[in-house]
Amino acid sequence: MPGFGLTLGYTLAWLSLIVLIPLTGVFVKSSALGWDGLWRVWTDARVLAALKLSFGTALAAGAFNTVFGTLVAWVLVRYRFPGRRLLDGLIDLPFALPTAVAGIALTALYAGNGWVGQWLLPLGIKVAYAPLGIVVALVFVGLPFVVRTVQPVLAEARRDIEEAGATLGATRLQIVHRLMLPALYPAMLTGFTLAFARGVGEYGSVIFIAGNLPRVTEIAPLLIVIKLEEFDYAGATAVAAAMLLLSFALLLAINLLQARLSHRAGGLR
Amino acid sequence: MTTNEPRWLRRGLIALALAFIAFFLLLPLVAVFVEALRQGFGAYLRALQEPDAWSALKLSLLVAAIAVPANLVFGIAAAWLIAKHDFRGKALLVTLIDLPFSVSPVVSGLVYVLLFGAQGLFGPWLIEHDVRILFALPGLVLATIFVTFPFVARELIPLMQEQGRDDELAALTLGASGFQTFLRVTLPNIRWGLLYGVLLCNARAMGEFGAVSVVSGHIRGLTNTLPLHVEILYNEYEFVAAFAVATLLALLALVTLALKALLEVRHGDALAARARH
Amino acid sequence: MQIRIDHVVRHFGRHAALAGIDLHIRSGELVALLGPSGSGKTTLLRAIAGLEPVDAGQIHFGERDATTLSVQERRVGFVFQQYALFRHMSVLRNVAFGLDCRPRRSRPTRADIDARALELLARVQLADLRDRLPDQLSGGQRQRVALARAMAIDPTVLLLDEPFGALDAKVRVELRRWLRDIHDATGYTTVFVTHDQEEALELADRVVVMNAGRIEQVGTPEEIYAQPASAFVFDFVGHSNRITGRVDGGRFVAADAATSWPLPTPQADGPAQLFVRPHDLMLDAQGQGLAGTVQHLWRRANRQVLTIAIDGQPEMLELDLPLHDASSVPAAGTRVQVAARHFRVFPVAA
């Protein structure tokens, strides 16, 4: 097939120019700091708080999305009801809607005088300008990931597996719990991972609703931006490096878990 | 089917799922429009006619007009390479192409600051030659290209792999050149997937916030894309104006979703089968 | 456990999948539901299992009316065409599944469950594969596990849906014999669905031939083959030839009007078709048969097969002759006369 040399050269060149070389800049700059320098930044209280907040809220939102995203996928695949098609199309909204738009909309909803916020405030629940608000924003952003990874697996599910379970005496609950869910766990985990990874790095939809108080509601990406504005390139890079390394480690762990799960599960096929 | 959940449970689950989607997805979308029209339609229109809003719109369109074709060409080249040839390191290449997806948008902007910022690698050289990359159009374009880098490729690669090489090989045996083969055989086969990828790429390119925020400098009227303009208006407590501009982006999102659904319904078999995103 | 099916009806939209089925299956019998696709045989099997509701009629398991019982309550052992083994569980856990799901009160101890599952695996000769996953088994092995799993719940009846359909020809034949052995050893009332008449005739105590939602005939394999009750049964079970003509005065007159044969039993006059097996046809040297031209000859195992185009007949006849010597076989193009030994004549529906 012709075109190998041309496309290989172009692809590698473009890839290096746009992605690889700029990304290595992070590592070059980080190594310029040396481990001491990096460690000093990483153990700074403000940085630690930001990292904990970013990863913690992403975890919470990811978990929440895994449960409800699976529910939504289940309902979309298994049931017929008016508006199902519309609902299915709407799931991708967070992919299509710019994060800044989501950010201001969510803030309008959950601020103390907002549509939803005004009902929650008397109950003592503060959403906007609190970590809970960050979680809400990340739920919005990460929702499609879980739904879209679980949906195809559910769609492939074989009816005769369920029927087999019924003939053997299993109740509906036992069928769902022992036969169907185990096949979904790998997909749910993948969806969680994608939502989590997205949530850790999310910026636009969070900075409006978060409040951005250092050490309280300041996410790591925002800290990077602040450091850049202060011309603390080194500090910004260090935080970025921390995010990249931590994400990489977590994703690796999840992938290993995934591999083990997939090996045992077989799916409903 | 006698092995289904009882009807009340089904209804309950449907209601729960609908409530969840309505609350977390629909409500924010509705809020954008309601807040934009809070002071009436007149105020809404006036906000959209502000010269700064217009510059932001034009800038967003310009950036997308450069970034999307760039990634389109790359996507086609990469997909041709990966789907129609065999070589070692393919999996690695695909992973590398996917990298921008797993990087935070802010970090995507950071990498260009490290290269072209005042203290960056090329900083001094740029200042010397009075070339502006950051805080100017080139920076915005670069950051946007980075962030939307994989979109077209991710759609075309599995699609072209699924379609195999038989058609192209047949064309070659009949005497067509590589380029002719691509133009007359491959392109028609992938046109819907291409459109799909371009659609998603464009939506992201026009809506990107974090990466461009870092490289933009926020110079009103000059280096503000639509999303950045929304931020500025919001931070100045110009809420109605901010939401008004946001409705433009929301409408873009809705159009994107509608076209996406249309493509999936009409040409679903001509799109890559595996789950995207 | 005997099964009684009383006038069971099942519609899918306007299509009647089961148009009134009456059937009595004796306890311990091995019954085959035989028919082409769309005959309703699988629907009937699933209706017995409770996987398909019925629109009218009743199903009794012994004395008990099972029509309103749920799938779980009926305790039927169902073996699916694609095995439906649980891919994330070991073979042993698959077999034990039915017991694992029992409510706490009636559930045996884990040790007892495992022992019983192992016992069944031994019965199907797969005891040493207990810890494997279904994906690691061959098709034949999976089917045996599926059967062991179905038997583990001590079912009222064993139902098998085209159990060997997805297997190689050789494995199919082996498993057929094996299924018969298992049935004889356990004594479960067993019903299986197949479209393969060879399988039905070889395995079953009785065969139920179905067509378009109705039962055409119920009988032993010998009865079905030698005394088919309708044109459909004759045609579906075994090779058959069909000669068009009419019954006139106690004789069957072929369409060319030149040949006629006396009928063994009196039948009403009218348009009819004569059905005859290939091995019941012969070449009549005396020239008293259907006139035709030899089209094609070939050997099948140790038989000589001929196709002959008969004057005035729309369909060719296939003759299956023992192979004596090559010289007595006419060449293609020769004019011959064909006579029939045993045959059946069925009236043609107006």
Side-chain angles (χ1 to χ4, degrees):
Chain A
M1 193 79 68
F4 182 68
L6 181 66
T7 51
L8 181 66
Y10 178 73
T11 302
L12 286 180
W14 194 243
L15 179 66
S16 308
L17 224 58
I18 299 288
V19 178
L20 296 179
I21 294 175
L23 276 178
T24 50
V26 175
F27 294 105
V28 166
K29 193 78 185 183
S30 304
S31 57
L33 267 173
W35 284 113
D36 286 331
L38 283 172
W39 194 251
R40 224 174 308 131
V41 177
W42 289 348
T43 50
D44 174 59
R46 189 178 178 189
V47 171
L48 274 178
L51 287 171
K52 259 196 277 184
L53 187 67
S54 279
F55 281 85
T57 51
L59 207 81
F64 189 76
N65 267 329
T66 303
V67 171
F68 277 91
T70 303
L71 170 68
V72 171
W74 180 277
V75 166
L76 281 175
V77 171
R78 315 246 331 165
Y79 303 149
R80 299 269 170 280
F81 53 93
R84 190 178 67 94
R85 277 277 175 90
L86 190 65
L87 186 69
D88 198 14
L90 210 57
I91 298 292
D92 288 327
L93 181 67
F95 282 151
L97 194 69
T99 53
V101 175
I104 60 173
L106 288 168
T107 314
L109 288 176
Y110 293 102
N113 59 349
W115 301 22
V116 178
Q118 56 182 322
W119 300 106
L120 296 176
L121 203 56
L123 299 172
I125 304 174
K126 191 168 182 229
V127 181
Y129 316 123
L132 189 56
I134 301 177
V135 175
V136 169
L138 295 184
V139 166
F140 176 88
V141 162
L143 175 66
F145 290 104
V146 179
V147 178
R148 292 308 189 210
T149 44
V150 173
Q151 249 183 316
V153 178
L154 262 180
E156 276 183 350
R158 285 167 52 176
R159 276 294 188 178
D160 63 355
I161 296 281
E162 296 172 56
E163 290 180 344
T167 60
L168 292 166
T171 63
R172 188 66 193 154
L173 185 62
Q174 284 172 320
I175 291 173
V176 172
H177 172 232
R178 289 169 182 253
L179 299 181
M180 304 193 74
L181 279 185
L184 290 183
Y185 291 146
M188 287 166 70
L189 192 56
T190 303
F192 168 82
T193 306
L194 292 170
F196 172 77
R198 174 72 190 260
V200 164
E202 182 56 29
Y203 180 71
S205 46
V206 174
I207 56 165
F208 296 95
I209 199 175
N212 307 324
L213 283 173
R215 300 217 219 169
V216 180
T217 53
E218 188 180 57
I219 53 171
L222 178 59
L223 191 51
I224 294 177
V225 171
I226 289 176
K227 284 188 181 292
L228 278 178
E229 285 171 356
E230 295 170 352
F231 294 105
D232 179 8
Y233 284 18
T237 312
V239 179
M243 283 181 65
L244 287 173
L245 285 171
L246 277 170
S247 298
F248 181 71
L250 267 155
L251 291 177
L252 196 64
I254 294 179
N255 268 334
L256 286 172
L257 179 62
Q258 183 84 296
R260 282 191 60 208
L261 262 186
S262 285
H263 180 68
R264 282 299 296 184
L268 296 160
R269 279 166 286 118
Chain B
M1 256 265 58
T2 49
T3 56
N4 256 342
E5 295 80 51
R7 184 176 291 185
W8 61 266
L9 185 58
R10 263 181 277 162
R11 297 241 170 111
L13 290 177
I14 294 174
L16 192 58
L18 284 175
F20 175 70
I21 296 296
F23 190 72
F24 279 96
L25 284 193
L26 213 48
L27 206 54
L29 182 64
V30 169
V32 174
F33 289 92
V34 170
E35 291 295 329
L37 296 168
R38 196 167 269 276
Q39 285 168 9
F41 205 66
Y44 174 72
L45 285 179
R46 255 174 283 130
L48 291 180
Q49 287 159 352
E50 284 289 317
D52 287 339
W54 271 108
S55 323
L57 176 62
K58 279 191 286 187
L59 189 61
S60 278
L61 288 171
L62 182 59
V63 169
I66 303 175
V68 172
N71 283 327
L72 175 64
V73 171
F74 170 75
I76 291 176
W80 180 265
L81 175 68
I82 289 171
K84 309 293 181 188
H85 300 94
D86 291 312
F87 56 93
R88 289 178 59 188
K90 235 197 249 197
L92 178 62
L93 186 59
V94 173
T95 310
L96 290 176
I97 293 176
D98 265 356
L99 268 181
F101 261 359
S102 32
V103 169
S104 163
V106 165
V107 175
S108 312
L110 170 71
V111 297
Y112 288 106
V113 173
L114 289 180
L115 279 179
F116 303 122
Q119 290 180 22
L121 188 61
F122 296 110
W125 187 93
L126 289 172
I127 296 179
E128 224 183 282
H129 292 81
D130 200 25
V131 176
R132 310 210 77 195
I133 298 205
L134 293 191
F135 309 154
L137 183 66
L140 296 173
V141 170
L142 276 174
T144 305
I145 291 181
F146 182 97
V147 171
T148 57
F149 192 73
F151 274 90
V152 178
R154 271 170 71 99
E155 179 58 34
L156 285 183
I157 291 175
L159 179 62
M160 284 169 74
Q161 279 178 324
E162 252 172 60
Q163 289 175 344
R165 304 176 199 173
D166 287 351
D167 289 4
E168 284 77 16
L169 287 173
L172 288 173
T173 63
L174 292 167
S177 72
F179 203 60
Q180 281 178 319
T181 305
F182 169 73
L183 221 51
R184 289 158 164 255
V185 176
T186 315
L187 209 50
N189 272 342
I190 61 172
R191 62 186 156 168
W192 299 118
L194 204 59
L195 191 59
Y196 195 85
V198 163
L199 197 64
L200 299 178
C201 188
N202 177 65
R204 183 68 194 268
M206 291 192 65
E208 177 51 34
F209 180 73
V212 292
S213 177
V214 171
V215 302
S216 126
H218 304 271
I219 303 171
R220 193 189 294 258
L222 273 183
T223 60
N224 270 326
T225 57
L226 273 179
L228 293 178
H229 194 57
V230 169
E231 182 192 23
I232 286 197
L233 289 172
Y234 190 84
N235 286 340
E236 293 178 349
Y237 302 100
E238 299 269 1
F239 293 132
V240 170
F243 279 101
V245 178
T247 58
L248 291 179
L249 291 167
L251 285 169
L252 171 67
L254 289 173
V255 168
T256 303
L257 282 182
L259 287 176
K260 186 170 172 291
L262 194 67
L263 275 175
E264 281 166 358
V265 165
R266 287 270 215 86
H267 303 281
D269 48 325
L271 301 175
R274 63 147 202 169
R276 280 167 288 278
H277 316 299
Chain C
M1 175 82 60
Q2 60 172 337
I3 304 173
R4 214 176 70 236
I5 299 163
D6 285 320
H7 214 72
V8 158
V9 175
R10 171 77 176 137
H11 291 282
F12 288 124
R14 289 195 304 167
H15 165 66
L18 297 174
I21 302 285
D22 293 285
L23 184 61
H24 182 204
I25 300 172
R26 303 182 200 112
S27 185
E29 240 192 326
L30 178 57
V31 168
L33 299 180
L34 174 67
S37 312
S39 53
K41 55 193 195 297
T42 300
T43 311
L44 180 59
L45 193 78
R46 288 168 62 88
I48 299 174
L51 293 171
E52 210 74 61
V54 299
D55 298 325
Q58 285 160 341
I59 300 176
H60 282 84
F61 289 174
E63 296 303 311
R64 214 172 155 206
D65 184 356
T67 324
T68 51
L69 291 183
S70 71
V71 179
Q72 289 87 342
E73 288 168 320
R74 295 194 195 198
R75 231 179 73 227
V76 294
F78 203 101
V79 177
F80 292 82
Q81 192 170 3
Q82 304 288 337
Y83 326 124
L85 293 183
F86 308 136
R87 293 182 59 180
H88 58 285
M89 292 185 198
S90 69
V91 163
L92 186 69
R93 285 267 70 75
N94 260 280
V95 175
F97 184 78
L99 297 169
D100 285 337
C101 281
R102 291 255 182 89
R104 196 144 290 188
R105 278 168 279 116
S106 51
R107 197 192 313 165
T109 64
R110 174 71 174 237
D112 284 341
I113 292 178
D114 284 6
R116 167 120 179 98
L118 215 46
E119 182 196 317
L120 282 160
L121 276 177
R123 191 186 273 274
V124 301
Q125 289 117 35
L126 289 177
D128 44 345
L129 296 180
R130 51 176 284 182
D131 291 321
R132 297 266 186 96
L133 292 176
D135 279 354
Q136 298 168 304
L137 303 178
S138 71
Q141 289 170 331
R142 285 185 215 177
Q143 200 54 295
R144 284 188 274 159
V145 172
L147 187 62
R149 183 177 70 177
M151 292 196 294
I153 58 169
D154 195 23
T156 52
V157 56
L158 266 181
L159 304 173
L160 300 97
D161 186 4
E162 310 237 24
F164 310 129
L167 300 171
D168 294 336
K170 189 158 181 290
V171 179
R172 220 182 306 174
V173 170
E174 279 169 21
L175 281 184
R176 260 190 237 166
R177 311 250 160 81
W178 171 85
L179 176 64
R180 182 78 226 188
D181 292 339
I182 293 270
H183 170 261
D184 293 340
T186 58
Y188 286 122
T189 311
T190 309
V191 183
F192 72 97
V193 157
T194 181
H195 60 268
D196 180 353
Q197 29 124 335
E198 208 181 285
E199 193 169 280
L201 296 179
E202 182 186 319
L203 271 182
D205 293 328
R206 278 195 305 157
V207 177
V208 178
V209 181
M210 291 181 68
N211 180 35
R214 293 187 194 282
I215 293 182
E216 291 270 340
Q217 185 175 2
V218 181
T220 63
E222 297 74 39
E223 285 165 7
I224 297 288
Y225 187 81
Q227 293 148 35
S230 72
F232 175 84
V233 179
F234 196 110
D235 198 31
F236 189 77
V237 181
H239 299 277
S240 71
N241 288 297
R242 179 172 25 195
I243 300 171
T244 321
R246 47 179 300 110
V247 174
D248 204 352
R251 298 180 74 82
F252 176 81
V253 184
D256 69 350
T259 325
S260 74
W261 293 316
L263 294 173
T265 51
Q267 276 179 260
D269 288 357
Q273 287 173 332
L274 185 148
F275 285 84
V276 57
R277 304 264 182 232
H279 57 259
D280 284 334
L281 285 173
M282 54 215 184
L283 296 171
D284 193 326
Q286 270 86 43
Q288 281 171 14
L290 294 165
T293 319
V294 177
Q295 297 297 306
H296 200 59
L297 319 97
W298 72 94
R299 295 238 191 105
R300 193 190 280 153
N302 62 340
R303 314 282 297 174
Q304 179 70 50
V305 183
L306 297 146
T307 48
I308 301 180
I310 300 292
D311 305 341
Q313 283 294 325
E315 290 174 28
M316 290 202 279
L317 295 186
E318 185 179 292
L319 278 71
D320 186 332
L321 306 173
L323 195 64
H324 292 310
D325 54 318
S327 56
S328 67
V329 174
T334 323
R335 296 283 299 173
V336 291
Q337 307 271 13
V338 180
R341 276 187 287 262
H342 312 291
F343 56 78
R344 292 291 296 273
V345 173
F346 297 108
V348 173

